[in-house]
């Protein structure tokens, strides 16, 4: 993220605009017809062919029993193709195309997440238990990257709050720290010293247990592809995308604010909170507007990424220019 300013991103890197324009009518229909249909329809379109060689997607594993939820933004979905080929996942490289191209060797199963720290019942999150019926919801969220692009993504997700509650956090649990897996043999980006691996992130406990905060295990109705953070990643829709840490192996309740990767990399550019805020610019670029992937013109960035009604109260009395 330190490397490229949004202005430096060539349109050709983002997408073939004509393809998206022609697809827009279809998407509008698909959005009405439901996401499952959209996923199937898009699978037939150009670009997804490349993905078919990807181990996760080739399996074509649809996640059964996903319950519709009330959490859905009423905006055109970003096509499956873009959501799964335009990615930020430095463990596989810094270019947006690297994660899909270079994550083929990554093995997201078997998997378990260790839960530790300030809690009465430390233990593990069992991936298969997470995938059990009646827990998974479809959440259609905006994702706003700090680089000033955005998407609308239909995640298959489980709310994080109730999951964390099972481990009985103590009164000392003021924060939750997350850690990505460290596997340099499977993650070529980790063989470079650019970032102090593993990638780490954190939330305040009230943010982590907020009803909007979820762990995603799928996208567009199917198992999460490697490039999107398989087998499970955080999604915190009112914060810049870098808070949504991928391929999590550890969740720890802590008393003190945990270190976070991008804050370590550039403390003056990336704060702990990282709430989407059009009024607080990044030192090197404006955050007031964003490019929705697939659209030609920039749009206004919304306070808390459009989730102000739900989350503004979490920050009452805080100076958001200071706690950026
Ligand atoms: N482990 C890890 N998690 C990560 C990143 C990363 O480089 N490594 N990039 C973040 C950034 S900057 C964004 S915008 C989102 C992108 O998620 P997506 O590829 O599913 O769109 O993932 C976030 N999670
Ligand atoms: Mo990002």
């Amino acid at each position: 993220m330190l490397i490229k300013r949004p202005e430096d991103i060539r349109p050709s890197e983002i997408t073939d605009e004509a393809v998206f324009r022609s697809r827009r009518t279809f998407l509008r229909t698909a959005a009405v017809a439901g996401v499952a249909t959209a996923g199937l329809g898009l699978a037939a379109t150009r670009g997804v062919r490349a993905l078919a060689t990807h181990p996760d997607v080739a399996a074509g594993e649809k996640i059964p029993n996903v319950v519709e939820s009330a959490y859905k933004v009423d905006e055109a979905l970003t096509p499956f193709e873009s959501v799964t080929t335009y990615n930020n996942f430095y463990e596989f490289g810094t270019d947006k195309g690297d994660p899909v191209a270079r994550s083929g060797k990554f093995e997201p199963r078997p998997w378990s997440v260790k839960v530790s720290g300030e809690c009465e019942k430390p233990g593990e999150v069992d991936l298969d238990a997470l995938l059990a019926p009646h827990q998974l919801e479809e959440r259609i969220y905006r994702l706003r990257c700090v680089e000033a692009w955005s998407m609308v993504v239909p995640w298959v997700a489980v709310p994080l709050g109730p999951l964390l509650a099972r481990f009985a956090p103590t009164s000392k649990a003021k924060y939750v720290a997350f850690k990505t897996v460290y596997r340099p043999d499977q993650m070529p980006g980790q063989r470079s010293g650019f970032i102090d691996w593993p990638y780490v992130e954190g939330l305040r406990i009230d943010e982590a247990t907020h009803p909007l905060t979820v762990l995603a295990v799928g996208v567009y109705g199917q198992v999460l592809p490697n490039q999107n953070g398989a087998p499970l990643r955080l999604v915190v829709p009112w914060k810049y995308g870098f808070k949504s840490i991928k391929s999590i192996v550890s969740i720890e309740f802590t008393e003190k604010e945990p270190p976070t990767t991008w804050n370590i990399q550039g403390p003056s550019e990336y704060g702990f909170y990282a709430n989407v805020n059009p009024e607080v610019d990044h030192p090197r670029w404006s955050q007031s507007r964003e490019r929705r992937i697939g659209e030609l013109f920039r749009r206004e960035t919304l306070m808390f990424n459009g989730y102000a009604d739900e989350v503004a109260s979490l920050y009452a009395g805080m100076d958001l220019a200071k706690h950026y």
Side-chain angles (χ1 to χ4, degrees):
M1 282 184 305
L2 290 164
I3 293 169
K4 280 192 180 173
R5 299 149 152 263
E7 291 78 12
D8 297 336
I9 300 171
R10 281 173 288 123
S12 60
E13 271 180 72
I14 294 173
T15 181
D16 177 348
E17 300 283 357
V19 171
F20 283 110
R21 276 201 301 278
S22 69
R23 202 177 276 160
R24 217 171 278 159
T25 315
F26 167 73
L27 271 178
R28 232 177 279 126
T29 322
V32 173
V35 172
T37 325
L40 291 172
L42 286 165
T45 63
R46 194 192 69 96
V48 176
R49 252 180 293 132
L51 271 178
T53 58
H54 199 280
D56 278 293
V57 181
E61 235 182 299
K62 287 270 163 197
I63 303 177
N65 302 313
V66 179
V67 179
E68 247 196 74
S69 91
Y71 296 93
K72 46 181 170 186
V73 295
D74 189 18
E75 290 166 14
L77 300 176
T78 303
F80 177 83
E81 175 196 346
S82 303
V83 173
T84 56
T85 59
Y86 187 84
N87 299 101
N88 206 321
F89 200 171
Y90 274 29
E91 282 80 345
F92 296 108
T94 55
D95 284 347
K96 296 293 178 279
D98 284 341
V100 66
R102 304 174 77 199
S103 62
K105 285 210 180 88
F106 184 70
E107 290 168 12
R109 307 257 168 104
W111 196 272
S112 68
V113 182
K114 190 184 164 208
V115 183
S116 64
E118 300 291 350
C119 60
E120 279 162 25
K121 299 175 187 165
E124 292 194 343
V125 175
D126 178 52
L127 182 64
D128 293 325
L130 269 190
L131 291 167
H134 310 306
Q135 300 203 58
L136 296 172
E137 300 177 13
E138 176 136 276
R139 298 279 186 117
I140 302 179
Y141 281 162
R142 296 183 199 93
L143 182 147
R144 169 57 158 82
C145 181
V146 73
E147 295 165 313
W149 50 267
S150 64
M151 298 186 179
V152 176
V153 184
W155 301 108
V156 178
V158 55
L160 183 61
L163 187 73
L164 293 181
R166 287 193 222 158
F167 300 90
T170 68
S171 59
K172 281 186 174 170
K174 303 276 200 287
Y175 295 88
V176 185
F178 303 86
K179 197 186 291 179
T180 293
V181 71
Y182 180 65
R183 284 189 195 165
D185 52 326
Q186 295 179 15
M187 299 176 132
Q190 287 183 336
R191 302 200 284 267
S192 92
F194 178 65
I195 278 178
D196 192 10
W197 309 107
Y199 192 103
V200 289
E201 256 306 336
L203 296 171
R204 236 172 37 192
I205 188 97
D206 58 342
E207 298 175 324
T209 57
H210 188 281
L212 280 173
T213 305
V214 294
L215 284 180
V217 295
V219 67
Y220 267 104
Q222 60 178 262
V223 171
L224 208 60
N226 287 349
Q227 61 271 26
N228 290 92
L232 82 172
R233 54 87 63 84
L234 191 65
V235 181
V236 197
W238 71 95
K239 292 177 180 282
Y240 291 119
F242 67 85
K243 297 298 284 185
S244 293
I245 180 173
K246 294 171 165 176
S247 305
I248 298 167
V249 285
S250 159
I251 296 178
E252 184 186 358
F253 297 101
T254 66
E255 193 171 9
K256 295 214 175 87
E257 186 182 285
T260 61
T261 286
W262 283 102
N263 181 250
I264 295 166
Q265 295 295 313
S268 63
E269 306 198 1
Y270 311 105
F272 176 80
Y273 284 93
N275 292 316
V276 175
N277 189 340
E279 289 158 24
V280 177
D281 287 340
H282 184 280
R284 291 188 281 135
W285 60 80
S286 165
Q287 292 291 21
S288 67
R289 290 155 77 68
E290 68 201 52
R291 185 200 298 277
R292 179 68 49 85
I293 298 299
E295 292 183 357
L296 288 178
F297 301 105
R298 283 166 199 255
R299 56 168 72 213
E300 308 265 303
T301 285
L302 304 172
M303 189 63 197
F304 295 112
N305 203 23
Y307 301 95
D309 286 350
E310 289 94 335
V311 301
S313 62
L314 297 179
Y315 310 102
M318 279 175 69
D319 180 351
L320 298 179
K322 198 171 154 223
H323 299 283
Y324 55 91

